[in-house]
């Protein structure tokens, strides 16, 4: 007996959208949120996919997150803007922000759009790829709840604070680097806790600072930063640019997605760069292709394949679009229970 069910992406996307609409969200925003969650699952990032939906709706039921608020631009200039997410879905705020950054970059060459008073926005790669589709280079930042200690301290204060870069290519797959500032994203540890799996040593320590395989102990302890002091420092900088700069909150104030004691106080920052202000887009893409081709032609260190950032995820996306998404039984059961409570048919 398998521990998962294979579900076609379109069917899962439609199911999630129906759940959101039954919960009271308008059709277009529900479609956006569903699309971002399925995007994560297609690319093999199940920790940020449909597994998150129940936690989002738990927060809405607890009145610490808004289902479908207005998200106005509260500060505007030719090359920058600030959006207030109204404590709504980070995915919706992120789409509004990256699209606005792209629009402004077309006029000004580059643009920065911040988002305040938001929530978890899924995978940063989704927004980077949206900019790539517009032939833009992009940078995407977000903060998250305390999960790591500042270097040489003992209390978690900074989040895993992801950063993503998107670079268009021509014949080759675009470059999409989406990484947390910890050795592993906290969502992967949360997913392990939900599915009863152990985590590898080196991912995290427990409350006493001891290495652990137990995801529950890891969630109470601290995640390991990439590169030690470098990862911890990068996480702090990202929090200053997303939380402090946007006016959302001070470092350490972001609440975990499962914490229903109050708004999450998450902030984001999106940068879009118009390549054509530097050179024709076709020339740039050809140069990126040349770099990719050169790297691909290099001898492998271990005899295996050479992959560029985002390439493995892109291959996963193509495969899962054809064959379906493996949804863990526990996650599928939770989704179907949500559907029942909302008078919907199961998947």
């Amino acid at each position: 007996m398998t521990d998962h069910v294979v579900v076609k992406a379109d069917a899962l996307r439609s199911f999630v959208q129906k759940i959101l609409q039954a919960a009271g969200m308008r059709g277009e925003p529900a479609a956006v949120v569903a699309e971002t969650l399925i995007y994560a699952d297609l690319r093999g990032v199940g920790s940020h996919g449909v597994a998150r939906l129940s936690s989002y709706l738990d927060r809405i039921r607890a009145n610490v997150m808004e289902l479908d608020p207005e998200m106005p631009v509260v500060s505007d200039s030719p090359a920058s803007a600030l959006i207030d997410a109204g404590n709504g879905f980070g995915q919706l705020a992120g789409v509004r922000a990256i699209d606005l950054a792209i629009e402004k970059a077309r006029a000004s060459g580059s643009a920065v759009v911040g988002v305040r008073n938001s929530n978890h926005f899924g995978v940063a790669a989704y927004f980077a790829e949206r900019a790539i589709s517009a032939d833009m280079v992009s940078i995407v930042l977000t903060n998250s709840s305390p999960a790591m200690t500042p270097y040489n301290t003992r209390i978690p204060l900074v989040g895993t604070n992801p950063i993503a870069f998107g670079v268009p290519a021509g014949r080759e797959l675009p470059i999409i680097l989406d990484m947390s500032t910890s050795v592993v994203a906290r969502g992967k540890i949360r997913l392990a806790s939900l599915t009863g799996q152990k985590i590898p040593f080196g991912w995290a320590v427990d409350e006493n600072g001891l290495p652990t395989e137990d995801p529950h102990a890891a969630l109470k302890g601290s995640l390991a930063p990439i590169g030690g002091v470098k990862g911890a420092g990068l996480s702090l900088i990202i929090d200053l640019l997303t939380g402090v700069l946007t006016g959302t909150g001070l470092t350490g104030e972001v609440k975990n997605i499962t914490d229903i004691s109050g708004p999450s106080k998450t902030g984001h920052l999106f940068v879009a760069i118009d390549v054509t202000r530097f050179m024709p887009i076709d020339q740039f893409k050809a140069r990126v292709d040349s770099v990719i081709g050169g790297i691909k032609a290099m001898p492998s260190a271990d005899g295996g394949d050479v992959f560029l950032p985002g390439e493995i995820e892109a291959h996963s996306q193509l495969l899962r679009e054809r064959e379906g998404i493996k949804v863990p039984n526990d996650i599928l059961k939770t989704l179907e229970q949500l559907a029942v409570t909302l008078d919907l048919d199961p998947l």
Side-chain angles (χ1 to χ4, degrees):
M1 188 173 180
T2 62
D3 60 355
H4 64 266
V5 176
V6 177
V7 183
K8 288 293 186 181
D10 286 345
L12 190 58
R13 187 182 296 109
S14 176
F15 187 56
V16 170
Q17 182 176 345
K18 287 177 182 177
I19 289 174
L20 288 165
Q21 288 184 258
M25 184 176 278
R26 290 168 295 161
E28 184 176 348
V32 170
V33 175
E35 175 65 26
T36 62
L37 296 180
I38 302 307
Y39 176 87
D41 283 316
L42 284 170
R43 291 177 69 86
V45 192
S47 57
H48 288 52
V50 297
R52 294 276 181 163
L53 183 58
S54 62
S55 294
Y56 295 149
L57 295 180
D58 284 345
R59 294 185 59 77
I60 290 165
R61 283 191 291 268
N63 294 315
V64 297
M65 179 174 165
E66 297 298 321
L67 180 67
D68 196 4
E70 296 297 321
M71 296 185 175
V73 174
V74 294
S75 178
D76 198 18
S77 74
S80 66
L82 178 64
I83 292 172
D84 192 313
N87 194 28
F89 277 76
Q91 290 91 339
L92 298 176
V95 166
R96 178 162 169 71
I98 191 63
D99 286 355
L100 183 57
I102 291 167
E103 177 186 333
K104 288 180 175 292
R106 291 229 184 276
S108 300
S110 63
V112 182
V113 177
V115 176
R116 74 184 187 193
N117 301 329
S118 188
N119 286 277
H120 184 266
F121 73 1
V123 287
Y126 179 84
F127 309 104
E129 187 157 345
R130 199 171 177 96
I132 286 170
S133 297
D135 286 337
M136 296 272 175
V137 169
S138 62
I139 305 170
V140 180
L141 310 174
T142 187
N143 60 1
S144 56
S145 61
M148 299 190 299
T149 61
Y151 190 71
N152 204 32
T153 66
R154 298 187 61 180
I155 299 175
L157 182 72
V158 293
T160 58
N161 294 358
I163 179 171
F165 298 86
V167 180
R171 299 182 309 275
E172 304 288 349
L173 290 169
I175 302 293
I176 302 178
L177 175 62
D178 182 357
M179 53 174 267
S180 64
T181 50
S182 56
V183 170
V184 67
R186 189 171 188 174
K188 290 187 177 180
I189 295 179
R190 183 175 294 108
L191 183 62
S193 73
L194 292 173
T195 56
Q197 298 177 335
K198 290 184 178 180
I199 61 172
F201 281 115
W203 279 15
V205 296
D206 63 18
E207 290 178 291
N208 298 314
L210 300 175
T212 181
E213 293 180 291
D214 182 351
H216 299 283
L219 291 172
K220 294 179 181 178
S222 176
L223 274 64
I226 54 171
V229 63
K230 296 178 182 179
L234 180 58
S235 178
L236 175 61
I237 294 299
I238 292 172
D239 193 88
L240 293 174
L241 294 178
T242 57
V244 176
L245 181 62
T246 64
T248 304
L250 300 181
T251 301
E253 291 186 349
V254 178
K255 291 190 183 298
N256 188 280
I257 192 172
T258 59
D259 183 347
I260 58 173
S261 64
S264 74
K265 292 188 174 182
T266 302
H268 323 302
L269 198 73
F270 300 83
V271 179
I273 302 170
D274 185 355
V275 173
T276 64
R277 300 302 181 103
F278 296 84
M279 66 180 70
I281 186 63
D282 289 343
Q283 181 183 353
F284 177 76
K285 288 181 176 180
R287 290 170 68 86
V288 173
D289 282 351
S290 180
V291 172
I292 293 172
I295 293 173
K296 288 284 193 178
M298 296 176 72
S300 168
D302 61 4
D305 293 325
V306 175
F307 294 106
L308 278 293
E311 185 179 359
I312 292 175
E313 292 85 353
H315 290 321
S316 170
Q317 185 172 355
L318 290 173
L319 179 66
R320 294 179 184 203
E321 283 174 346
R322 289 197 309 268
E323 299 183 357
I325 297 169
K326 294 180 179 179
V327 182
N329 288 332
D330 291 346
I331 303 302
L332 186 59
K333 182 179 178 180
T334 299
L335 290 176
E336 293 194 327
Q337 287 173 340
L338 279 174
V340 169
T341 61
L342 295 167
D343 295 323
L344 294 173
D345 292 331
L347 184 64

